[in-house]
Amino acid sequence: MAAASACGGAGCGPHCSSSSGSAAGAEEDAPAERMARLSIATGAATTCGKCDGGAPTVAASGGAGMCRECFRAHLFGKFKLAVTSNAMVRPTDAVLLALSGGPASRVALQFIHAMQSKAIQSWETSNSQALPAFGVGVAFVDESVVLARPEHETQTATEDIKSIVSSLSPGDKQVHVAPLEDVFSSGSEDKVARLKEVVGMIDDETGRDDFIRCLRMLSLQKIALENGYTKIMLGTCASGIACHVLSATVKGQGYSLPADVQYVDTRWEVPVVLPLHDCLAQELSLLCELDSLKMQQLLDRPCRGINSLVASFVSRLREENPSREHTILRTAQKLKPFSFNKFSANGYHDFLPSRLRPKFQNVDTNESTFSEILCLICGSPFSESELQNLENTKHKAQKKIDLYTAHCCQSCHFQILPSATDTYGQFFSLLPKFWTEKVDTASASSLRDQIEDYLLEDDDEN
Amino acid sequence: MGSSSADGARLPPSRAGSRLCVRCGERKAALKRPKTLEQICRECFYIVFEDEIHQTIVDNTLFKAGERVAIGASGGKDSTVLAYVISELNRRHNYGLDLFLLSVDEGITGYRDDSLETVKRNEIQYGLPLKIVSYKDLYGWTMDDIVKAIGLKNNCTFCGVFRRQALDRGAALLKADKIVTGHNADDIAETVLLNILRGDIARLSRCTFITTGEDGPIPRCKPFKYTYEKEIVIYPFWTTFPQNVIPGIYSPNAYRGFAREFIKDLERMRPRSILDIIKSGENFRISTTTRMPEQGTCERCGYISSQKLCKACVLLDGLNRGLPKLGIGRTKAGPGAERNTSRLQGKHGNFDF
């Protein structure tokens, strides 16, 4: 139990608690008095539990405290381990970091900057200069239209973000600020009005929240594609993933859930990586506080509906047992990931040291390449019943709207599509072209299929 | 708790006013259906409530004609309604089942009196034979005897362990082919969440099965798997059902309480989320390579057990040999684990094996 409390406080990650033998998870019910909480130590405490020197700045009641350097190194270690052991960043990559201004993405920026500086340094000092240093850019999606935030606040916030990024050197980092409505690129119509109209058509509060999240991802993809980035890095942390595990379960997305909780997600055109996968939100905000990293909290977007209910549930669970989020995450990681949850492109792993390469290559045995059907809106892979439904619709659908509808997962169908079916046409026409085009091409091929069938019959008769 | 949840869902007919039932379009709507929030009349409520359960039974082929089925009857609302609905459907759709009520009497003076009274009333009302198996019949000991032997400390271990097996042992004693229990959709959704919260992947994969223990001697099934607790509470409202159903007793376990509260909040926000949780539970991609704890059977009684002997047999052994402390306290698993597992069982014992 001592191990459990130390782990809960210091957040040694999932590996720690499994090594301490509390595999059943049930044993983690540490009594309240032993609960370890992260805090900044105030009184004169003992020495740092890791390096034995310096007074601990981070106190975990019940466990040993850590000094600031050790705490930072501990979190950076987790970040780096996630990056290297999943081959997230290659030397030739250009990484686009999605910065929201909150503690998690702020720490991600700090850490990826640290890795980049190291890479630049070793490139400069090496004789051969074989491995170039990867590039880093920062994206900020401005959602002020849907959040109805006054413009001057957004202005100051973006200025702040720019100043934060420009203070990091070496390594020139570009900042891309894109308003959310830019996802509607084509045409000259009023993008803001279109965004407002489509969001307004969604009746469900949770659905609206999730829809905006989907648009945000689309917006990041667009920034990355237009500016030649090869990876998108998100600051999603363990706490965020734990919330997502529960909210996805509650929304009936149990099948697609494992796709969202892995380190790597290549189902998008530009692959997405989550290097803070093992760090708790609490740890990250503590680090920001300790290192006085400048954040931009103005841009906080409170979640709504079920998402906010889940968030408050998880925070209650955390109060009861600080390692609960890790347990939830561990449960979700026992679910089978999808084929797109790893990098499988040919030669992708060539840059890796030969000692690490086999680990990835063994996995790549002729597993079928990317073949999942994804939801038009949220990108969730389809479960069997959803596929069944899609097949049935394909056979008898006359109208494109039916096809679009069948390409939405059941969860989006319920919470995002408008309740009145006769407004579907209007709704789908407002969606970003990027989404509907995919169905258009898919249905075009199925139309050909139908014609082919017909032609064959003709041939037979002849 | 039963009454408070009923208050939210029960709409006095007068308030529904001129609204017509959305289902039949003829009669006045009498209530807002908790599962769908549709305004329907009393008659339609009974029709959809019973039809859904019938559909669940047919779709999952829960029963075969001629089977002898034990209805686990605790005297609580779920099992009371279950007994009524199953016997009604059996008559109406000719399932051809030989039904009987099965109750467990722990042998604690005064404890089961009320609930056994309810069950006995059910016996008369529905014309179902009632069998009460006591701990004395099953194990040779009543709880009162056990308390005499080991004192007030630790006796909950015995009661809890014995109760989990009592239904199975009783059903076997009475030559039943199947047991049905009154676990409802809310219970199952709660179990899904709890198994996520404690990282129990093996139970997570099993807990949404409508029938469990199919490879065992007596399978258990849950015809109320998709039935909302609130609807079970509404169901007896206009009938001559005994109104003094005994509210379930919940263990004070903190996060089980949280989970239940969370589900109630969710239901308020989006009624279908209970079904969505169950659907998620059914669709989880649980990798076939996941290491599952091995499930064996007890060498002595044949009940599922991870050890050579099941816990009940170990405890019983101790009692019979005059060493009642055997099997309590520090075993291989350690006292901590012991305490926690018992705390996690909560309301229904373990309803997920």
Side-chain angles (χ1 to χ4, degrees):
Chain A
M1 284 326 265
S5 64
C7 155
C12 304
H15 314 294
C16 172
S17 45
S18 59
S19 65
S20 70
S22 61
E27 288 140 65
E28 289 169 354
D29 286 283
E33 68 271 14
R34 277 202 188 167
M35 256 196 270
R37 283 218 180 77
L38 286 169
S39 58
I40 295 179
T42 43
T46 48
T47 51
C48 165
K50 285 211 160 171
C51 63
D52 272 347
T57 328
V58 181
S61 52
M66 260 191 270
C67 65
R68 186 165 68 174
E69 280 67 37
C70 286
F71 182 64
R72 190 189 304 118
H74 163 71
L75 287 183
F76 184 59
K78 286 203 243 186
F79 178 90
K80 220 171 127 186
L81 184 72
V83 170
T84 51
S85 64
N86 295 287
M88 280 183 191
V89 179
R90 300 194 297 170
T92 51
D93 273 339
V95 178
L96 180 68
L97 178 84
L99 189 73
S100 69
S105 54
R106 182 65 187 84
V107 171
L109 174 64
Q110 205 64 28
F111 283 171
I112 196 68
H113 167 68
M115 283 187 80
Q116 193 197 22
S117 326
K118 183 98 185 297
I120 292 174
Q121 208 179 0
S122 55
W123 184 76
E124 279 168 355
T125 51
S126 83
N127 291 329
S128 61
Q129 303 205 322
L131 289 180
F134 58 88
V136 174
V138 173
F140 169 67
V141 180
D142 170 16
E143 291 167 28
S144 44
V145 171
V146 281
L147 294 177
R149 197 190 293 117
E151 200 169 320
H152 66 271
E153 278 186 18
T154 319
Q155 206 80 50
T156 27
T158 43
E159 287 309 315
D160 278 355
I161 284 178
K162 279 179 184 158
S163 79
I164 290 171
V165 177
S166 62
S167 69
L168 297 171
S169 62
D172 190 26
K173 296 176 189 63
Q174 231 189 319
V175 181
H176 310 270
V177 178
L180 190 63
E181 59 271 22
D182 271 7
V183 289
F184 308 108
S185 52
S186 56
S188 55
E189 79 261 62
D190 187 0
K191 291 184 228 169
V192 175
R194 184 165 166 188
L195 176 64
K196 278 186 175 160
E197 186 179 356
V198 72
V199 171
M201 282 182 85
I202 302 169
D203 309 307
D204 191 274
E205 205 184 8
T206 319
R208 263 198 308 272
D209 208 31
D210 288 350
F211 182 74
I212 290 169
R213 189 175 303 180
C214 298
L215 287 181
R216 198 183 303 147
M217 173 55 89
L218 182 62
S219 169
L220 288 173
Q221 289 287 332
K222 207 165 158 271
I223 300 173
L225 282 173
E226 282 169 2
N227 298 285
Y229 288 96
T230 50
K231 295 281 161 60
I232 293 176
M233 184 171 278
L234 300 184
T236 313
C237 61
S239 314
I241 299 175
C243 284
H244 180 77
V245 169
L246 291 185
S247 52
T249 307
V250 163
K251 292 170 199 160
Q253 298 166 325
Y255 178 81
S256 61
L257 167 64
D260 309 330
V261 300
Q262 313 298 327
Y263 293 91
V264 171
D265 182 354
T266 66
R267 78 186 115 158
W268 320 100
E269 232 151 291
V270 181
V272 173
V273 292
L274 313 178
L276 288 176
H277 187 278
D278 298 322
C279 302
L280 294 174
Q282 237 183 331
E283 297 172 330
L284 296 171
S285 35
L286 190 60
L287 184 67
C288 283
E289 208 175 317
L290 284 175
D291 281 1
S292 37
L293 295 178
K294 199 175 164 196
M295 287 181 283
Q296 186 34 267
Q297 298 289 26
L298 255 185
L299 305 173
D300 247 1
R301 11 169 200 248
C303 46
R304 293 191 192 85
I306 287 183
N307 299 335
S308 91
L309 190 63
V310 168
S312 64
F313 178 56
V314 170
S315 74
R316 268 180 89 179
L317 291 171
R318 180 174 51 232
E319 276 165 31
E320 183 236 4
N321 180 347
S323 57
R324 186 65 71 201
E325 285 157 325
H326 280 312
T327 316
I328 297 173
L329 198 61
R330 222 170 28 243
T331 317
Q333 285 195 289
K334 287 177 196 158
L335 302 174
K336 207 163 129 201
F338 290 85
S339 57
F340 54 73
N341 285 128
K342 58 175 187 284
F343 293 111
S344 53
N346 242 349
Y348 179 84
H349 299 287
D350 287 357
F351 77 94
L352 284 175
S354 51
R355 145 183 79 83
L356 284 174
R357 232 175 289 156
K359 182 186 151 201
F360 293 98
Q361 282 164 347
N362 284 345
V363 193
D364 287 353
T365 51
N366 76 56
E367 199 174 297
S368 63
T369 46
F370 188 66
S371 63
E372 310 279 349
I373 297 222
L374 303 178
C375 169
L376 166 78
I377 297 173
C378 70
S380 305
F382 269 26
S383 71
E384 211 154 302
S385 66
E386 285 160 340
L387 279 178
Q388 195 76 48
N389 176 39
L390 179 62
E391 278 310 309
N392 292 343
T393 319
K394 264 189 192 163
H395 280 295
K396 57 170 201 262
Q398 297 301 314
K399 282 178 287 179
K400 192 155 258 176
I401 301 302
D402 295 333
L403 266 179
Y404 286 150
T405 326
H407 269 93
C408 294
C409 69
Q410 280 167 9
S411 175
C412 287
H413 204 292
F414 173 77
Q415 63 169 15
I416 293 183
L417 295 196
S419 46
T421 41
D422 53 339
T423 53
Y424 279 5
Q426 167 76 354
F427 182 77
F428 283 112
S429 72
L430 287 172
L431 287 186
K433 284 282 166 297
F434 188 79
W435 286 345
T436 42
E437 267 168 7
K438 276 189 266 178
V439 179
D440 293 343
T441 47
S443 68
S445 67
S446 81
L447 259 175
R448 255 199 310 278
D449 285 347
Q450 282 172 19
I451 295 168
E452 265 173 50
D453 280 351
Y454 186 68
L455 290 176
L456 265 177
E457 271 175 43
D458 268 356
D459 283 348
D460 286 350
E461 276 171 20
N462 291 340
Chain B
M1 199 225 68
S3 64
S4 69
S5 59
D7 288 341
R10 242 185 245 159
L11 281 185
S14 58
R15 247 177 64 192
S18 54
R19 287 276 193 137
L20 284 181
C21 166
V22 294
R23 201 172 161 273
C24 62
E26 289 167 9
R27 288 174 290 262
K28 249 205 252 172
L31 73 153
K32 207 155 79 182
R33 201 182 164 204
K35 201 173 193 170
T36 56
L37 299 185
E38 290 166 336
Q39 303 208 338
I40 57 173
C41 64
R42 196 191 303 180
E43 289 77 5
C44 285
F45 173 71
Y46 284 111
I47 294 170
V48 291
F49 183 90
E50 289 161 10
D51 278 359
E52 275 181 13
I53 294 163
H54 171 62
Q55 212 50 49
T56 307
I57 290 173
V58 173
D59 290 347
N60 298 283
T61 49
L62 291 190
F63 308 117
K64 286 198 266 306
E67 272 180 337
R68 184 166 161 78
V69 177
I71 303 171
S74 64
K77 61 176 182 347
D78 295 317
S79 61
T80 306
V81 175
L82 178 72
Y84 175 76
V85 172
I86 290 285
S87 68
E88 192 59 34
L89 293 176
N90 187 29
R91 233 190 320 272
R92 194 180 303 160
H93 300 285
N94 287 321
Y95 294 159
L97 301 179
D98 174 14
L99 296 168
F100 69 96
L101 297 167
L102 177 60
S103 287
V104 177
D105 183 5
E106 291 91 346
I108 306 173
T109 317
Y111 172 65
R112 276 285 172 193
D113 295 1
D114 282 355
S115 53
L116 288 178
E117 266 324 297
T118 314
V119 183
K120 280 175 189 156
R121 259 205 308 271
N122 294 346
E123 175 186 23
I124 302 162
Q125 280 176 326
Y126 319 148
L128 294 172
L130 166 66
K131 311 281 180 190
I132 299 177
V133 290
S134 63
Y135 277 16
K136 184 88 184 160
D137 302 332
L138 298 173
Y139 305 105
W141 291 77
T142 66
M143 272 313 290
D144 287 348
D145 294 339
I146 292 172
V147 172
K148 264 184 219 144
I150 74 157
L152 285 171
K153 251 182 161 179
N154 288 332
N155 60 59
C156 291
T157 312
F158 284 87
C159 194
V161 170
F162 285 175
R163 187 180 304 159
R164 247 182 296 160
Q165 288 196 13
L167 268 189
D168 295 78
R169 288 187 174 215
L173 206 67
L174 296 160
K175 307 217 161 32
D177 300 308
K178 226 160 239 175
I179 304 173
V180 291
T181 55
H183 294 115
N184 57 44
D186 300 48
D187 294 332
I188 294 169
E190 184 186 322
T191 314
V192 171
L193 284 185
L194 288 181
N195 284 329
I196 294 176
L197 297 189
R198 59 186 169 201
D200 193 335
I201 198 80
R203 285 216 171 81
L204 185 61
S205 66
R206 276 179 277 152
C207 68
T208 48
F209 292 170
I210 192 160
T211 308
T212 48
E214 270 172 304
D215 42 353
I218 306 175
R220 276 189 186 208
C221 55
K222 314 172 193 131
F224 279 176
K225 181 180 171 188
Y226 301 108
T227 308
Y228 278 35
E229 180 172 293
K230 277 188 181 166
E231 301 201 350
I232 296 174
V233 177
I234 295 173
Y235 188 81
F237 184 58
W238 291 290
T239 62
T240 54
F241 263 70
Q243 294 286 321
N244 60 336
V245 286
I246 291 118
I249 301 162
Y250 300 102
S251 78
N253 178 314
Y255 75 77
R256 180 172 279 272
F258 290 167
R260 193 145 265 262
E261 214 175 288
F262 174 60
I263 288 180
K264 292 287 163 221
D265 290 344
L266 270 177
E267 192 188 359
R268 227 163 296 154
M269 203 175 269
R270 182 187 285 185
R272 76 176 234 157
S273 55
I274 291 180
L275 289 180
D276 277 341
I277 294 174
I278 298 177
K279 193 179 111 197
S280 287
E282 290 168 339
N283 287 342
F284 278 137
R285 290 159 52 99
I286 292 174
S287 150
T288 43
T289 55
T290 311
R291 205 164 46 87
M292 298 282 178
E294 243 171 72
Q295 266 194 1
T297 48
C298 169
E299 283 181 0
R300 195 166 299 174
C301 67
Y303 188 78
I304 42 164
S305 162
S306 52
Q307 309 292 320
K308 222 159 94 182
L309 291 181
C310 70
K311 194 80 183 158
C313 287
V314 173
L315 292 176
L316 208 53
D317 212 34
L319 278 175
N320 293 335
R321 281 163 48 191
L323 302 163
K325 293 280 190 291
L326 198 71
I328 301 182
R330 190 170 285 275
T331 53
K332 242 193 275 171
E338 187 66 49
R339 189 198 59 231
N340 282 321
T341 33
S342 59
R343 269 175 56 190
L344 291 172
Q345 270 139 24
K347 177 186 169 192
H348 297 288
N350 75 343
F351 46 80
D352 38 17
F353 56 83

